[in-house]
Amino acid sequence: GIVLVGPNTMGILCTRSRLFATGTHTRPREGSVAFVSQSGNLGVQLIHWAERQGVGVSLFVGSGNEAVVTCSDYLEFLSEDAGSRTIMLYLESMREGRRFFETAKKINRTKPIIVLKGGRTEAGRAASASHTGAMSGEVKIFRAACRQAGLLEARVPSELLDLSAGFSSLPLPRGNRVGIVTLGGGWGVVTSDECNEKGLAVPPLPQEVVNRIGKHLPPFWSRGNPVDLVGTRDPEAPLVAVEELLKWEGIDAVISLGIVGRIEFLRLMNQSIRTVDKNMPAGFLDQTEAMVRDYEEKYIAATAELMEKYAKPVIGVSLVSTSGGTVRSVPGRRYSAVLYETPESAVHVLARMVNYQNILGKEETEYRRQ
Amino acid sequence: GIVLVGPNTMGILCTRSRLFATGTHTRPREGSVAFVSQSGNLGVQLIHWAERQGVGVSLFVGSGNEAVVTCSDYLEFLSEDAGSRTIMLYLESMREGRRFFETAKKINRTKPIIVLKGGRTEAGRAASASHTGAMSGEVKIFRAACRQAGLLEARVPSELLDLSAGFSSLPLPRGNRVGIVTLGGGWGVVTSDECNEKGLAVPPLPQEVVNRIGKHLPPFWSRGNPVDLVGTRDPEAPLVAVEELLKWEGIDAVISLGIVGRIEFLRLMNQSIRTVDKNMPAGFLDQTEAMVRDYEEKYIAATAELMEKYAKPVIGVSLVSTSGGTVRSVPGRRYSAVLYETPESAVHVLARMVNYQNILGKEETEYRRQ
């Protein structure tokens, strides 16, 4: 028989073999995220986002109406594809539900599967019927099956990307206890609220950790978690804080806010100086920018190194849209630095990683009991 | 007595008088959004986001620890400031709770107040205590008071910005019925789901509306809501669809997806063509880009015009990060076009505008009963 992708597909893409056969001219970098999408248009747009955000992609297929090859078939292939280690799915409908969920459950143990179901509501189902012609099944059944198989459900496309960036770049947290390092108090408050509301803890720090971090901070610092760096100019302070938190057994993950991204504000200030003070030597301002840029690069490399050393995730929040994107791979390192634009993205991804870790743990226990 | 802003402030800003006295060198454009923030760092960062997104700002004040002037004082001033018509607040604590909510309730009838409360959770409160030294009150009481006063609560800083962009630029919807126009089926499905999950309806279209829109579309189009333009090249189709939906009394608002932002994909395609086909005259490709850019400008201007004509909001979703920002003001027009990057932002803002309209309606009814 003939193997047919689609019909109604936006094409396929394989970065490793430099095959870019999609309707849209987008070229994501090579990486470990595979994406199967029943919507071609939404699919290629997400691949474009992946490119912009630096999320590394292995394969994309617009599976379309799945006349011959179905999402279960693609999943089976992906389970054997060494280059694919995180899987995103956009589904409106499925045939062979049992086969799909059995396959997915097996694969999900080693390759996290993040799934967005289109047509969850009455309006969505009506739209879907005229789109892929799909008869979307009962959403409650779908959700229950996802839960049973341990799949991670996303609600909107941007979440698929955020989660893929995190899962493909960071070590899994072993628990839900977060250390926060921030350049400004308000962001620490907002991030703490987000953590608690998503089921993550922000534990107080033991005195010895406070003391060690305090050596690099002015005496009026927060002395607690979040570690508020109160705008310190000590270049070592941010990394000392991050490492001291990672070192402590009471913390499973670190979120750092505003440390990378600071260059944006320096640029604005230098722009003002250039306008106002014509006597300021341009070379000096360029030099300050180069120094901060250099510092940010080193910070990114150091977080990748620290993640390897402590096997705990460090998630950055840039608070500005940076040209470098969300995922910053560091040559020779197992993990990549991840920089979300907002704290809510960082907290959300971390919370889902904790979920996933719990699912794995539960399965492990069940397996041992058998 | 001496009037004192702060202490612990990041300064003040007034675009109308070209006063930019903040710690960060950011210059938002003049507009109608006023922002009072107890966190200076978070405040100026949001002002920077406002600048990037094109959200027009009237005033900003980092109110800090509010030793003398409190948020209630600022609110009273803003109620009389004709240049300020939408108000954002970041609060960690407040004194004179009764005065604040009484003032806020009065002002909220004509100037929507969007408030983000930091320190809603245990971790947030702990962080807040070491930040502004605030003893944040019981959050349930705060929330109940917000609800009673009809204030709009935001959960994260990005939401403050999204809501400000919408409230300051668009007419209020009179009800919750949404018409969707999309360039791709999947985005229509995802947006329909979001609408239903946020309490918005996506009603089916009457035959005469289907027929009128259908004149500009291939026969295999969706014939329903969402209006899937199935990648049509008829340049009139998108605006015809938007206007036919606005014209129909069964629709209170329109969300249009992917129409502005298409240029991004054309650019990518042209880049490929330039690489592959050295004989392609460069002028031709530049011309196609100029045409699409021109089309998008005209579309933006037309939506501002249509909003005035029908007094219904049209919210755009670009699906890409565009250099033009979220708010696009159109000279001589009462309303500005708004382009969010994702459908979830558009739907969320629309849902909150419907909430606000309902609050106003209820107050009106109560007032009449008296």
PDB file of all heavy atoms in Angstrom, chain A residues 24-25 41 49 119 121 155 158 187 193-194 197 265 272 319 344, chain B residues 24-25 41 49 119-121 155 158 187 193-194 265 272 319 344:
ATOM      1  N   THR A  24       5.310  26.978   4.614  1.00  0.00           N
ATOM      2  CA  THR A  24       5.860  28.226   5.125  1.00  0.00           C
ATOM      3  C   THR A  24       7.370  28.110   5.254  1.00  0.00           C
ATOM      4  O   THR A  24       7.874  27.075   5.668  1.00  0.00           O
ATOM      5  CB  THR A  24       5.235  28.545   6.505  1.00  0.00           C
ATOM      6  OG1 THR A  24       3.837  28.639   6.326  1.00  0.00           O
ATOM      7  CG2 THR A  24       5.749  29.859   7.047  1.00  0.00           C
ATOM      8  N   HIS A  25       8.056  29.178   4.895  1.00  0.00           N
ATOM      9  CA  HIS A  25       9.520  29.115   4.840  1.00  0.00           C
ATOM     10  C   HIS A  25      10.129  29.447   6.191  1.00  0.00           C
ATOM     11  O   HIS A  25      10.652  30.522   6.393  1.00  0.00           O
ATOM     12  CB  HIS A  25      10.020  30.054   3.759  1.00  0.00           C
ATOM     13  CG  HIS A  25       9.632  29.590   2.400  1.00  0.00           C
ATOM     14  ND1 HIS A  25      10.532  29.208   1.456  1.00  0.00           N
ATOM     15  CD2 HIS A  25       8.411  29.375   1.847  1.00  0.00           C
ATOM     16  CE1 HIS A  25       9.908  28.815   0.362  1.00  0.00           C
ATOM     17  NE2 HIS A  25       8.619  28.918   0.571  1.00  0.00           N
ATOM     18  N   ASN A  41      -1.754  24.999   9.366  1.00  0.00           N
ATOM     19  CA  ASN A  41      -1.550  26.421   9.569  1.00  0.00           C
ATOM     20  C   ASN A  41      -1.051  26.722  10.977  1.00  0.00           C
ATOM     21  O   ASN A  41      -0.057  27.431  11.171  1.00  0.00           O
ATOM     22  CB  ASN A  41      -2.910  27.092   9.318  1.00  0.00           C
ATOM     23  CG  ASN A  41      -2.892  28.569   9.522  1.00  0.00           C
ATOM     24  OD1 ASN A  41      -3.067  29.022  10.637  1.00  0.00           O
ATOM     25  ND2 ASN A  41      -2.641  29.326   8.463  1.00  0.00           N
ATOM     26  N   TRP A  49       7.363  30.058  15.624  1.00  0.00           N
ATOM     27  CA  TRP A  49       7.627  30.515  16.993  1.00  0.00           C
ATOM     28  C   TRP A  49       8.842  29.781  17.556  1.00  0.00           C
ATOM     29  O   TRP A  49       9.674  30.394  18.241  1.00  0.00           O
ATOM     30  CB  TRP A  49       6.418  30.259  17.904  1.00  0.00           C
ATOM     31  CG  TRP A  49       5.225  31.117  17.622  1.00  0.00           C
ATOM     32  CD1 TRP A  49       5.119  32.082  16.661  1.00  0.00           C
ATOM     33  CD2 TRP A  49       3.971  31.083  18.286  1.00  0.00           C
ATOM     34  NE1 TRP A  49       3.867  32.641  16.707  1.00  0.00           N
ATOM     35  CE2 TRP A  49       3.141  32.054  17.690  1.00  0.00           C
ATOM     36  CE3 TRP A  49       3.445  30.328  19.334  1.00  0.00           C
ATOM     37  CZ2 TRP A  49       1.830  32.296  18.098  1.00  0.00           C
ATOM     38  CZ3 TRP A  49       2.136  30.563  19.750  1.00  0.00           C
ATOM     39  CH2 TRP A  49       1.335  31.535  19.133  1.00  0.00           C
ATOM     40  N   GLY A 119     -11.153  21.802  19.922  1.00  0.00           N
ATOM     41  CA  GLY A 119     -12.538  21.322  19.901  1.00  0.00           C
ATOM     42  C   GLY A 119     -12.959  20.776  21.252  1.00  0.00           C
ATOM     43  O   GLY A 119     -13.610  19.744  21.329  1.00  0.00           O
ATOM     44  N   THR A 121     -14.774  22.597  23.356  1.00  0.00           N
ATOM     45  CA  THR A 121     -16.047  23.233  23.711  1.00  0.00           C
ATOM     46  C   THR A 121     -17.022  23.088  22.540  1.00  0.00           C
ATOM     47  O   THR A 121     -16.635  22.637  21.455  1.00  0.00           O
ATOM     48  CB  THR A 121     -15.840  24.728  23.967  1.00  0.00           C
ATOM     49  OG1 THR A 121     -15.383  25.328  22.741  1.00  0.00           O
ATOM     50  CG2 THR A 121     -14.796  24.975  25.046  1.00  0.00           C
ATOM     51  N   ARG A 155      -3.468  24.191  27.080  1.00  0.00           N
ATOM     52  CA  ARG A 155      -4.752  24.788  26.737  1.00  0.00           C
ATOM     53  C   ARG A 155      -4.666  25.678  25.507  1.00  0.00           C
ATOM     54  O   ARG A 155      -5.626  25.848  24.773  1.00  0.00           O
ATOM     55  CB  ARG A 155      -5.248  25.621  27.923  1.00  0.00           C
ATOM     56  CG  ARG A 155      -6.551  25.145  28.504  1.00  0.00           C
ATOM     57  CD  ARG A 155      -7.160  26.246  29.322  1.00  0.00           C
ATOM     58  NE  ARG A 155      -7.058  27.487  28.588  1.00  0.00           N
ATOM     59  CZ  ARG A 155      -7.154  28.690  29.102  1.00  0.00           C
ATOM     60  NH1 ARG A 155      -7.339  28.822  30.378  1.00  0.00           N
ATOM     61  NH2 ARG A 155      -7.051  29.764  28.359  1.00  0.00           N
ATOM     62  N   SER A 158       0.597  28.729  22.651  1.00  0.00           N
ATOM     63  CA  SER A 158       1.825  29.296  23.225  1.00  0.00           C
ATOM     64  C   SER A 158       2.344  28.425  24.369  1.00  0.00           C
ATOM     65  O   SER A 158       3.544  28.349  24.612  1.00  0.00           O
ATOM     66  CB  SER A 158       1.563  30.716  23.733  1.00  0.00           C
ATOM     67  OG  SER A 158       0.640  30.691  24.794  1.00  0.00           O
ATOM     68  N   TRP A 187       8.839  42.034  41.581  1.00  0.00           N
ATOM     69  CA  TRP A 187       8.850  40.814  40.769  1.00  0.00           C
ATOM     70  C   TRP A 187       8.966  39.569  41.641  1.00  0.00           C
ATOM     71  O   TRP A 187       8.430  38.508  41.313  1.00  0.00           O
ATOM     72  CB  TRP A 187       9.969  40.858  39.732  1.00  0.00           C
ATOM     73  CG  TRP A 187       9.690  41.877  38.670  1.00  0.00           C
ATOM     74  CD1 TRP A 187      10.269  43.095  38.527  1.00  0.00           C
ATOM     75  CD2 TRP A 187       8.696  41.785  37.636  1.00  0.00           C
ATOM     76  NE1 TRP A 187       9.712  43.763  37.469  1.00  0.00           N
ATOM     77  CE2 TRP A 187       8.760  42.984  36.896  1.00  0.00           C
ATOM     78  CE3 TRP A 187       7.772  40.804  37.248  1.00  0.00           C
ATOM     79  CZ2 TRP A 187       7.924  43.226  35.804  1.00  0.00           C
ATOM     80  CZ3 TRP A 187       6.931  41.039  36.165  1.00  0.00           C
ATOM     81  CH2 TRP A 187       7.021  42.243  35.455  1.00  0.00           C
ATOM     82  N   ASP A 193       3.692  34.696  44.542  1.00  0.00           N
ATOM     83  CA  ASP A 193       2.248  34.460  44.435  1.00  0.00           C
ATOM     84  C   ASP A 193       1.947  33.402  43.368  1.00  0.00           C
ATOM     85  O   ASP A 193       1.176  32.476  43.607  1.00  0.00           O
ATOM     86  CB  ASP A 193       1.514  35.763  44.064  1.00  0.00           C
ATOM     87  CG  ASP A 193       1.242  36.661  45.273  1.00  0.00           C
ATOM     88  OD1 ASP A 193       1.176  36.136  46.393  1.00  0.00           O
ATOM     89  OD2 ASP A 193       1.091  37.881  45.081  1.00  0.00           O
ATOM     90  N   GLU A 194       2.564  33.570  42.210  1.00  0.00           N
ATOM     91  CA  GLU A 194       2.347  32.614  41.128  1.00  0.00           C
ATOM     92  C   GLU A 194       2.730  31.207  41.571  1.00  0.00           C
ATOM     93  O   GLU A 194       2.028  30.236  41.284  1.00  0.00           O
ATOM     94  CB  GLU A 194       3.180  32.997  39.892  1.00  0.00           C
ATOM     95  CG  GLU A 194       2.524  34.008  38.995  1.00  0.00           C
ATOM     96  CD  GLU A 194       1.292  33.448  38.316  1.00  0.00           C
ATOM     97  OE1 GLU A 194       1.409  32.583  37.440  1.00  0.00           O
ATOM     98  OE2 GLU A 194       0.195  33.900  38.695  1.00  0.00           O
ATOM     99  N   GLU A 197       0.178  29.787  43.968  1.00  0.00           N
ATOM    100  CA  GLU A 197      -1.105  29.522  43.307  1.00  0.00           C
ATOM    101  C   GLU A 197      -1.034  28.332  42.354  1.00  0.00           C
ATOM    102  O   GLU A 197      -2.049  27.744  42.012  1.00  0.00           O
ATOM    103  CB  GLU A 197      -1.619  30.792  42.612  1.00  0.00           C
ATOM    104  CG  GLU A 197      -2.111  31.815  43.660  1.00  0.00           C
ATOM    105  CD  GLU A 197      -2.628  33.117  43.083  1.00  0.00           C
ATOM    106  OE1 GLU A 197      -2.521  33.341  41.872  1.00  0.00           O
ATOM    107  OE2 GLU A 197      -3.153  33.940  43.876  1.00  0.00           O
ATOM    108  N   PHE A 265      17.975  47.900  29.583  1.00  0.00           N
ATOM    109  CA  PHE A 265      17.833  49.164  30.309  1.00  0.00           C
ATOM    110  C   PHE A 265      19.111  49.997  30.256  1.00  0.00           C
ATOM    111  O   PHE A 265      19.061  51.219  30.226  1.00  0.00           O
ATOM    112  CB  PHE A 265      17.388  48.894  31.748  1.00  0.00           C
ATOM    113  CG  PHE A 265      15.978  48.438  31.798  1.00  0.00           C
ATOM    114  CD1 PHE A 265      15.662  47.098  31.875  1.00  0.00           C
ATOM    115  CD2 PHE A 265      14.952  49.359  31.696  1.00  0.00           C
ATOM    116  CE1 PHE A 265      14.340  46.674  31.867  1.00  0.00           C
ATOM    117  CE2 PHE A 265      13.631  48.957  31.685  1.00  0.00           C
ATOM    118  CZ  PHE A 265      13.328  47.607  31.778  1.00  0.00           C
ATOM    119  N   SER A 272      20.005  57.940  26.353  1.00  0.00           N
ATOM    120  CA  SER A 272      19.736  59.244  26.986  1.00  0.00           C
ATOM    121  C   SER A 272      21.030  60.025  27.148  1.00  0.00           C
ATOM    122  O   SER A 272      21.094  61.220  26.854  1.00  0.00           O
ATOM    123  CB  SER A 272      19.090  59.057  28.365  1.00  0.00           C
ATOM    124  OG  SER A 272      17.856  58.426  28.251  1.00  0.00           O
ATOM    125  N   LEU A 319      12.138  39.388  31.513  1.00  0.00           N
ATOM    126  CA  LEU A 319      11.258  40.546  31.713  1.00  0.00           C
ATOM    127  C   LEU A 319      11.253  41.502  30.526  1.00  0.00           C
ATOM    128  O   LEU A 319      10.587  42.538  30.568  1.00  0.00           O
ATOM    129  CB  LEU A 319      11.612  41.317  32.996  1.00  0.00           C
ATOM    130  CG  LEU A 319      11.545  40.518  34.303  1.00  0.00           C
ATOM    131  CD1 LEU A 319      12.060  41.360  35.465  1.00  0.00           C
ATOM    132  CD2 LEU A 319      10.123  40.067  34.593  1.00  0.00           C
ATOM    133  N   GLU A 344       5.158  34.332  34.934  1.00  0.00           N
ATOM    134  CA  GLU A 344       4.081  33.333  34.898  1.00  0.00           C
ATOM    135  C   GLU A 344       4.421  32.169  33.968  1.00  0.00           C
ATOM    136  O   GLU A 344       4.066  31.026  34.254  1.00  0.00           O
ATOM    137  CB  GLU A 344       2.727  33.963  34.538  1.00  0.00           C
ATOM    138  CG  GLU A 344       2.612  34.619  33.177  1.00  0.00           C
ATOM    139  CD  GLU A 344       2.903  36.115  33.212  1.00  0.00           C
ATOM    140  OE1 GLU A 344       3.663  36.539  34.099  1.00  0.00           O
ATOM    141  OE2 GLU A 344       2.377  36.848  32.362  1.00  0.00           O
TER     142      GLU A 344
ATOM    143  N   THR B  24      14.505  54.592  35.330  1.00  0.00           N
ATOM    144  CA  THR B  24      14.776  53.886  34.079  1.00  0.00           C
ATOM    145  C   THR B  24      14.432  54.785  32.904  1.00  0.00           C
ATOM    146  O   THR B  24      13.430  55.487  32.939  1.00  0.00           O
ATOM    147  CB  THR B  24      13.947  52.598  34.022  1.00  0.00           C
ATOM    148  OG1 THR B  24      14.301  51.798  35.142  1.00  0.00           O
ATOM    149  CG2 THR B  24      14.218  51.825  32.754  1.00  0.00           C
ATOM    150  N   HIS B  25      15.267  54.751  31.880  1.00  0.00           N
ATOM    151  CA  HIS B  25      15.106  55.679  30.758  1.00  0.00           C
ATOM    152  C   HIS B  25      14.146  55.135  29.720  1.00  0.00           C
ATOM    153  O   HIS B  25      14.552  54.705  28.664  1.00  0.00           O
ATOM    154  CB  HIS B  25      16.468  55.985  30.153  1.00  0.00           C
ATOM    155  CG  HIS B  25      17.316  56.772  31.091  1.00  0.00           C
ATOM    156  ND1 HIS B  25      17.731  58.037  30.841  1.00  0.00           N
ATOM    157  CD2 HIS B  25      17.773  56.477  32.321  1.00  0.00           C
ATOM    158  CE1 HIS B  25      18.442  58.492  31.857  1.00  0.00           C
ATOM    159  NE2 HIS B  25      18.488  57.565  32.773  1.00  0.00           N
ATOM    160  N   ASN B  41      10.365  49.060  40.688  1.00  0.00           N
ATOM    161  CA  ASN B  41      11.020  48.208  39.706  1.00  0.00           C
ATOM    162  C   ASN B  41      10.011  47.584  38.749  1.00  0.00           C
ATOM    163  O   ASN B  41      10.152  47.650  37.526  1.00  0.00           O
ATOM    164  CB  ASN B  41      11.779  47.141  40.504  1.00  0.00           C
ATOM    165  CG  ASN B  41      12.494  46.155  39.638  1.00  0.00           C
ATOM    166  OD1 ASN B  41      11.889  45.179  39.224  1.00  0.00           O
ATOM    167  ND2 ASN B  41      13.748  46.417  39.337  1.00  0.00           N
ATOM    168  N   TRP B  49       7.330  48.080  28.962  1.00  0.00           N
ATOM    169  CA  TRP B  49       6.466  47.230  28.128  1.00  0.00           C
ATOM    170  C   TRP B  49       5.445  48.091  27.399  1.00  0.00           C
ATOM    171  O   TRP B  49       5.156  47.861  26.217  1.00  0.00           O
ATOM    172  CB  TRP B  49       5.736  46.181  28.973  1.00  0.00           C
ATOM    173  CG  TRP B  49       6.611  45.115  29.542  1.00  0.00           C
ATOM    174  CD1 TRP B  49       7.961  44.974  29.386  1.00  0.00           C
ATOM    175  CD2 TRP B  49       6.197  44.008  30.373  1.00  0.00           C
ATOM    176  NE1 TRP B  49       8.403  43.872  30.081  1.00  0.00           N
ATOM    177  CE2 TRP B  49       7.349  43.262  30.690  1.00  0.00           C
ATOM    178  CE3 TRP B  49       4.972  43.590  30.889  1.00  0.00           C
ATOM    179  CZ2 TRP B  49       7.308  42.106  31.484  1.00  0.00           C
ATOM    180  CZ3 TRP B  49       4.922  42.449  31.679  1.00  0.00           C
ATOM    181  CH2 TRP B  49       6.083  41.721  31.964  1.00  0.00           C
ATOM    182  N   GLY B 119       1.140  39.783  46.917  1.00  0.00           N
ATOM    183  CA  GLY B 119       1.020  39.276  48.281  1.00  0.00           C
ATOM    184  C   GLY B 119      -0.323  38.626  48.526  1.00  0.00           C
ATOM    185  O   GLY B 119      -0.932  38.804  49.570  1.00  0.00           O
ATOM    186  N   ARG B 120      -0.789  37.865  47.551  1.00  0.00           N
ATOM    187  CA  ARG B 120      -2.084  37.181  47.692  1.00  0.00           C
ATOM    188  C   ARG B 120      -1.930  35.856  48.428  1.00  0.00           C
ATOM    189  O   ARG B 120      -2.884  35.297  48.931  1.00  0.00           O
ATOM    190  CB  ARG B 120      -2.676  36.868  46.306  1.00  0.00           C
ATOM    191  CG  ARG B 120      -3.039  38.057  45.488  1.00  0.00           C
ATOM    192  CD  ARG B 120      -3.769  37.620  44.219  1.00  0.00           C
ATOM    193  NE  ARG B 120      -2.959  36.727  43.399  1.00  0.00           N
ATOM    194  CZ  ARG B 120      -2.192  37.125  42.394  1.00  0.00           C
ATOM    195  NH1 ARG B 120      -2.115  38.390  42.078  1.00  0.00           N
ATOM    196  NH2 ARG B 120      -1.496  36.254  41.699  1.00  0.00           N
ATOM    197  N   THR B 121      -0.726  35.320  48.411  1.00  0.00           N
ATOM    198  CA  THR B 121      -0.488  33.996  48.985  1.00  0.00           C
ATOM    199  C   THR B 121       0.467  34.132  50.166  1.00  0.00           C
ATOM    200  O   THR B 121       1.022  35.213  50.411  1.00  0.00           O
ATOM    201  CB  THR B 121       0.169  33.085  47.940  1.00  0.00           C
ATOM    202  OG1 THR B 121       1.441  33.659  47.603  1.00  0.00           O
ATOM    203  CG2 THR B 121      -0.676  32.972  46.681  1.00  0.00           C
ATOM    204  N   ARG B 155      -4.038  39.084  37.510  1.00  0.00           N
ATOM    205  CA  ARG B 155      -3.268  38.127  38.304  1.00  0.00           C
ATOM    206  C   ARG B 155      -1.770  38.312  38.102  1.00  0.00           C
ATOM    207  O   ARG B 155      -0.982  38.020  38.979  1.00  0.00           O
ATOM    208  CB  ARG B 155      -3.665  36.714  37.917  1.00  0.00           C
ATOM    209  CG  ARG B 155      -4.248  35.900  39.060  1.00  0.00           C
ATOM    210  CD  ARG B 155      -4.187  34.453  38.729  1.00  0.00           C
ATOM    211  NE  ARG B 155      -2.890  34.154  38.144  1.00  0.00           N
ATOM    212  CZ  ARG B 155      -2.587  33.105  37.428  1.00  0.00           C
ATOM    213  NH1 ARG B 155      -3.504  32.225  37.188  1.00  0.00           N
ATOM    214  NH2 ARG B 155      -1.381  32.915  36.931  1.00  0.00           N
ATOM    215  N   SER B 158       1.695  41.113  33.089  1.00  0.00           N
ATOM    216  CA  SER B 158       1.438  41.192  31.650  1.00  0.00           C
ATOM    217  C   SER B 158      -0.054  41.428  31.384  1.00  0.00           C
ATOM    218  O   SER B 158      -0.421  42.047  30.386  1.00  0.00           O
ATOM    219  CB  SER B 158       1.896  39.912  30.949  1.00  0.00           C
ATOM    220  OG  SER B 158       1.131  38.814  31.402  1.00  0.00           O
ATOM    221  N   TRP B 187      -6.475  27.874  14.077  1.00  0.00           N
ATOM    222  CA  TRP B 187      -6.548  29.051  14.953  1.00  0.00           C
ATOM    223  C   TRP B 187      -7.989  29.399  15.272  1.00  0.00           C
ATOM    224  O   TRP B 187      -8.297  29.896  16.357  1.00  0.00           O
ATOM    225  CB  TRP B 187      -5.816  30.235  14.322  1.00  0.00           C
ATOM    226  CG  TRP B 187      -4.340  30.021  14.312  1.00  0.00           C
ATOM    227  CD1 TRP B 187      -3.566  29.714  13.219  1.00  0.00           C
ATOM    228  CD2 TRP B 187      -3.450  30.048  15.439  1.00  0.00           C
ATOM    229  NE1 TRP B 187      -2.263  29.556  13.611  1.00  0.00           N
ATOM    230  CE2 TRP B 187      -2.157  29.753  14.958  1.00  0.00           C
ATOM    231  CE3 TRP B 187      -3.633  30.288  16.803  1.00  0.00           C
ATOM    232  CZ2 TRP B 187      -1.043  29.698  15.796  1.00  0.00           C
ATOM    233  CZ3 TRP B 187      -2.528  30.229  17.636  1.00  0.00           C
ATOM    234  CH2 TRP B 187      -1.254  29.939  17.134  1.00  0.00           C
ATOM    235  N   ASP B 193     -12.578  27.660  21.268  1.00  0.00           N
ATOM    236  CA  ASP B 193     -12.466  27.004  22.577  1.00  0.00           C
ATOM    237  C   ASP B 193     -12.208  28.033  23.679  1.00  0.00           C
ATOM    238  O   ASP B 193     -12.854  28.015  24.724  1.00  0.00           O
ATOM    239  CB  ASP B 193     -11.307  25.981  22.572  1.00  0.00           C
ATOM    240  CG  ASP B 193     -11.711  24.640  21.960  1.00  0.00           C
ATOM    241  OD1 ASP B 193     -12.912  24.312  22.000  1.00  0.00           O
ATOM    242  OD2 ASP B 193     -10.823  23.918  21.462  1.00  0.00           O
ATOM    243  N   GLU B 194     -11.261  28.913  23.418  1.00  0.00           N
ATOM    244  CA  GLU B 194     -10.941  29.946  24.409  1.00  0.00           C
ATOM    245  C   GLU B 194     -12.176  30.784  24.732  1.00  0.00           C
ATOM    246  O   GLU B 194     -12.433  31.101  25.887  1.00  0.00           O
ATOM    247  CB  GLU B 194      -9.829  30.868  23.887  1.00  0.00           C
ATOM    248  CG  GLU B 194      -8.427  30.378  24.124  1.00  0.00           C
ATOM    249  CD  GLU B 194      -8.083  30.328  25.604  1.00  0.00           C
ATOM    250  OE1 GLU B 194      -7.921  31.381  26.241  1.00  0.00           O
ATOM    251  OE2 GLU B 194      -7.999  29.194  26.116  1.00  0.00           O
ATOM    252  N   PHE B 265       5.514  36.127   7.020  1.00  0.00           N
ATOM    253  CA  PHE B 265       5.702  34.893   6.253  1.00  0.00           C
ATOM    254  C   PHE B 265       6.092  35.179   4.807  1.00  0.00           C
ATOM    255  O   PHE B 265       6.845  34.437   4.192  1.00  0.00           O
ATOM    256  CB  PHE B 265       4.446  34.027   6.348  1.00  0.00           C
ATOM    257  CG  PHE B 265       4.302  33.441   7.711  1.00  0.00           C
ATOM    258  CD1 PHE B 265       3.472  34.029   8.644  1.00  0.00           C
ATOM    259  CD2 PHE B 265       5.049  32.334   8.078  1.00  0.00           C
ATOM    260  CE1 PHE B 265       3.380  33.508   9.926  1.00  0.00           C
ATOM    261  CE2 PHE B 265       4.961  31.808   9.356  1.00  0.00           C
ATOM    262  CZ  PHE B 265       4.125  32.398  10.284  1.00  0.00           C
ATOM    263  N   SER B 272      13.792  33.001   0.917  1.00  0.00           N
ATOM    264  CA  SER B 272      14.099  31.719   0.267  1.00  0.00           C
ATOM    265  C   SER B 272      14.272  31.912  -1.238  1.00  0.00           C
ATOM    266  O   SER B 272      15.202  31.390  -1.846  1.00  0.00           O
ATOM    267  CB  SER B 272      12.977  30.704   0.498  1.00  0.00           C
ATOM    268  OG  SER B 272      12.817  30.435   1.851  1.00  0.00           O
ATOM    269  N   LEU B 319      -0.386  36.788  15.689  1.00  0.00           N
ATOM    270  CA  LEU B 319       0.242  35.459  15.711  1.00  0.00           C
ATOM    271  C   LEU B 319       1.758  35.521  15.531  1.00  0.00           C
ATOM    272  O   LEU B 319       2.422  34.480  15.497  1.00  0.00           O
ATOM    273  CB  LEU B 319      -0.357  34.528  14.650  1.00  0.00           C
ATOM    274  CG  LEU B 319      -1.870  34.273  14.765  1.00  0.00           C
ATOM    275  CD1 LEU B 319      -2.352  33.449  13.581  1.00  0.00           C
ATOM    276  CD2 LEU B 319      -2.201  33.549  16.069  1.00  0.00           C
ATOM    277  N   GLU B 344      -5.295  33.889  22.996  1.00  0.00           N
ATOM    278  CA  GLU B 344      -5.735  33.871  24.396  1.00  0.00           C
ATOM    279  C   GLU B 344      -5.729  35.267  25.009  1.00  0.00           C
ATOM    280  O   GLU B 344      -6.587  35.596  25.829  1.00  0.00           O
ATOM    281  CB  GLU B 344      -4.926  32.870  25.240  1.00  0.00           C
ATOM    282  CG  GLU B 344      -3.438  33.118  25.361  1.00  0.00           C
ATOM    283  CD  GLU B 344      -2.623  32.368  24.329  1.00  0.00           C
ATOM    284  OE1 GLU B 344      -3.166  32.099  23.238  1.00  0.00           O
ATOM    285  OE2 GLU B 344      -1.444  32.065  24.586  1.00  0.00           O
TER     286      GLU B 344
END
